[in-house]
Amino acid sequence: PNRAAIQESTKPVLSLGKSKFEKLVRNPDELIDKTLFIKKLIDDSSQKVLLSAPKYFGKTTNLDMIKRFLEVEVDSNGKILDNAKRLNSKLFMKNNLKINKDKKFCEKYLGKYPVLFIDYGSLNNINSYSNMLQYFRDLQRETFLGHKYLLNVRNLWINNLNFTVFKKYFDLNENLSELEITNGFRFLLKVLNKHFKKNVVVLIDNYGSLLDNLIFS
């Protein structure tokens, strides 16, 4: 057989657009270790950081990596998991990733913050105002479901925060009003901040989808 053909066939096949950080860590042939970017990002004094790059340059993967590193892991009642049960901690600490060399940094930030991840990836398919409202209703339900444990944290709802209103964001039968859509993520941030008593890290993916659609469609 042709030696060149054999060598060609043994090269790793890259999955273009594959965006889950964990899958890349499990497959070292596809992984370019950018974990030190997390430290660079946190060491930056800016409160807001914009990551701009062409499609397929790994923005979604990097955001997923940041989320997995920073996000505090909890049980169904909102209680922080013991170290032995934290999947994200195992993902970073049990693999040969560059950021592991900075032990103090990992101790300070790994799994220590509530994270709100919002993906506007389908916003470029909007063609009417009513479609846009429904899109945001669906997006908020999907995002809120990632923090469903908050419904079980009873002491959150004693003062000021409205449990009945919060529940509406999880209900498929609720037709959220424009005002509720406008206030939805702000409300979730407030609840997360109260529960964890820490600032919430907000990660927004595909933030320019609607603008891209207006320019290039």
Side-chain angles (χ1 to χ4, degrees):
N2 186 292
R3 179 177 295 179
I6 294 175
Q7 290 177 340
E8 183 69 25
S9 66
T10 58
K11 290 182 179 179
V13 179
L14 300 182
S15 302
L16 192 62
K18 190 176 186 179
S19 61
K20 290 299 182 182
F21 175 69
E22 181 178 1
K23 291 181 180 179
L24 296 179
V25 172
R26 306 299 184 197
N27 187 357
D29 288 336
E30 294 191 18
L31 176 67
I32 298 175
D33 190 342
K34 298 181 181 179
T35 52
L36 290 179
F37 175 68
I38 300 171
K39 187 175 188 301
K40 184 176 181 180
L41 183 68
I42 292 177
D43 287 344
D44 190 303
S45 59
S46 304
Q47 288 189 329
K48 301 175 183 177
V49 178
L50 172 64
L51 304 179
S52 179
K55 195 172 183 179
Y56 298 129
F57 265 60
K59 298 185 298 296
T60 296
T61 301
N62 284 331
L63 287 177
D64 186 47
M65 173 184 70
I66 296 165
K67 177 180 182 290
R68 296 295 297 267
F69 184 85
L70 294 175
E71 189 169 43
V72 59
E73 296 179 78
V74 300
D75 63 17
S76 60
N77 293 311
K79 183 180 178 181
I80 297 176
L81 295 176
D82 296 332
N83 285 332
K85 297 180 180 179
R86 297 180 188 178
L87 300 180
N88 290 344
S89 295
K90 292 178 181 178
L91 177 65
F92 281 91
M93 302 310 295
K94 292 193 174 183
N95 290 283
N96 189 28
L97 299 174
K98 293 178 180 179
I99 202 167
N100 293 348
K101 296 178 181 178
D102 194 333
K103 301 300 182 185
K104 289 185 178 180
F105 181 84
C106 289
E107 288 175 6
K108 185 175 181 179
Y109 292 103
L110 178 57
K112 294 296 196 297
Y113 286 86
V115 176
L116 179 59
F117 187 91
I118 304 169
D119 184 2
Y120 290 124
S122 300
L123 195 55
N124 56 1
N125 297 321
I126 301 302
N127 54 24
S128 70
Y129 185 69
S130 60
N131 284 348
M132 182 180 70
L133 290 179
Q134 188 56 49
Y135 169 84
F136 279 109
R137 290 186 185 103
D138 295 339
L139 175 63
Q140 291 194 351
R141 287 192 185 98
E142 180 182 348
T143 306
F144 270 69
L145 281 171
H147 303 276
K148 193 174 182 179
Y149 58 87
L150 292 169
L151 292 170
N152 300 323
V153 185
R154 295 301 177 187
N155 63 348
L156 279 175
W157 311 107
I158 297 174
N159 298 309
N160 300 324
L161 296 175
N162 192 318
F163 182 69
T164 302
V165 174
F166 191 72
K167 283 179 63 178
K168 291 179 68 174
Y169 289 92
F170 297 86
D171 191 346
L172 288 172
N173 296 318
E174 284 287 352
N175 192 27
L176 298 172
S177 68
E178 292 184 34
L179 181 61
E180 288 169 333
I181 292 172
T182 301
N183 293 332
F185 288 137
R186 188 181 296 112
F187 189 15
L188 181 54
L189 283 172
K190 185 177 180 180
V191 179
L192 286 168
N193 176 260
K194 182 177 181 181
H195 177 53
F196 292 104
K197 297 179 175 58
K198 284 189 174 183
N199 290 333
V200 182
V201 177
V202 180
L203 301 175
I204 302 177
D205 197 11
N206 295 301
Y207 64 91
S209 293
L210 182 58
L211 184 60
D212 289 344
N213 187 47
L214 293 173
I215 294 175
F216 298 110
S217 62

